Amino acid sequence: MKNIAVLVSGGGTNLQALIDAQSSGIIKSGKINLVISNNPDAYALKRAENANIKTAVCNKKELGNDFEDALINILEQNNTDIIVLAGFMCILSEKFTSHFANKILNVHPSLIPSFCGKGFYGLHVHEAALGYGVKVTGATVHFVNEIPDGGKIIMQKAVEIKEDDTPETLQKRVMEEAEWKILPLSVEKVCSEN
Ligand code: GAR
């Protein structure tokens, strides 16, 4: 059984999908034993508390250059095997990613290599997809390395764009149809193969 730490920044619907997948048995080779947020006000922390999962806050603004060392310390103290970035809005340096090589997963709300990399996060990704006029988008789960959204792809799922989509309606559909499905499946895959 792998110890899974989930890193969050906001609403935490992907964290919720992981918690639900654990309850339903989709995730069975690992257990979420820690949720860390860089944002003390993240609703994701409440979701973790409701599921009786230990939480920690690593405030990047307060910690400055010590942010990643603080993260590494908490992760090591909790014997973390697998790290899941689930709406975690901080870019991690090579020092951090190489410390946990092939152990960090991220969910990104587009079909990588489209609409990804620096500046492409949250709603901006869907604004860019609609602005370009693509007819299909989706979500990607990938390993995290030193290149933002550049690590090896684990799973992808396509989602159709509708004529009247707004960034908000598209974000919601990409989450429901793709992210909340492929993130738990990818976490189980990596836990069972490690
Ligand atoms: C999700 O759509 C996730 O893919 C995206 O932010 C949202 C977080 O929602 N992540 C990124 O854009 C990372 N580059 P959540 O807090 O409800 O899971």
Side-chain angles (χ1 to χ4, degrees):
M1 204 61 150
K2 299 284 183 273
N3 288 325
I4 304 168
V6 184
L7 275 52
V8 295
S9 299
T13 65
N14 278 289
L15 167 67
Q16 191 64 54
L18 293 171
I19 293 170
D20 294 348
Q22 194 167 274
S23 307
S24 69
I26 292 171
I27 297 178
K28 53 179 187 293
S29 306
K31 192 170 188 305
I32 305 168
N33 72 343
L34 178 66
V35 170
I36 308 177
S37 176
N38 64 305
N39 165 16
D41 301 321
Y43 184 67
L45 289 169
K46 187 90 197 122
R47 294 182 190 270
E49 282 162 21
N50 290 342
N52 292 315
I53 299 167
K54 182 174 170 182
T55 62
V57 173
C58 255
N59 193 327
K60 194 174 175 181
K61 281 190 199 134
E62 281 174 18
L63 290 161
N65 287 339
D66 297 329
F67 174 63
E68 289 190 354
D69 285 336
L71 271 183
I72 293 174
N73 266 333
I74 300 176
L75 292 164
E76 289 190 336
Q77 275 164 19
N78 287 276
N79 302 313
T80 299
D81 299 305
I82 301 291
I83 300 166
V84 183
L85 310 185
F88 186 61
M89 300 305 181
C90 304
I91 291 182
L92 296 162
S93 76
E94 182 172 10
K95 182 184 150 195
F96 186 94
T97 58
S98 59
H99 194 95
F100 297 103
N102 298 315
K103 295 195 174 351
I104 316 172
L105 288 75
N106 179 48
V107 60
H108 182 77
S110 76
L111 294 174
I112 290 175
S114 289
F115 313 117
C116 64
K118 206 163 179 276
F120 288 96
Y121 58 91
L123 216 48
H124 299 302
V125 180
H126 304 292
E127 285 164 359
L130 291 176
Y132 197 98
V134 292
K135 302 298 176 201
V136 175
T137 184
T140 303
V141 179
H142 61 93
F143 283 114
V144 175
N145 64 10
E146 70 284 2
I147 304 159
D149 298 322
K152 190 171 183 284
I153 291 173
I154 302 165
M155 281 186 200
Q156 289 189 303
K157 192 163 189 291
V159 173
E160 226 175 280
I161 292 183
K162 295 187 176 161
E163 283 287 326
D164 58 352
D165 261 330
T166 63
E168 289 79 10
T169 60
L170 184 58
Q171 179 180 52
K172 183 164 181 277
R173 215 165 53 258
V174 168
M175 285 176 158
E176 286 170 356
E177 292 182 13
E179 297 185 48
W180 302 340
K181 292 184 176 161
I182 63 172
L183 184 60
L185 292 174
S186 300
V187 169
E188 173 55 24
K189 183 173 193 286
V190 170
C191 285
S192 68
E193 286 172 358
N194 260 263

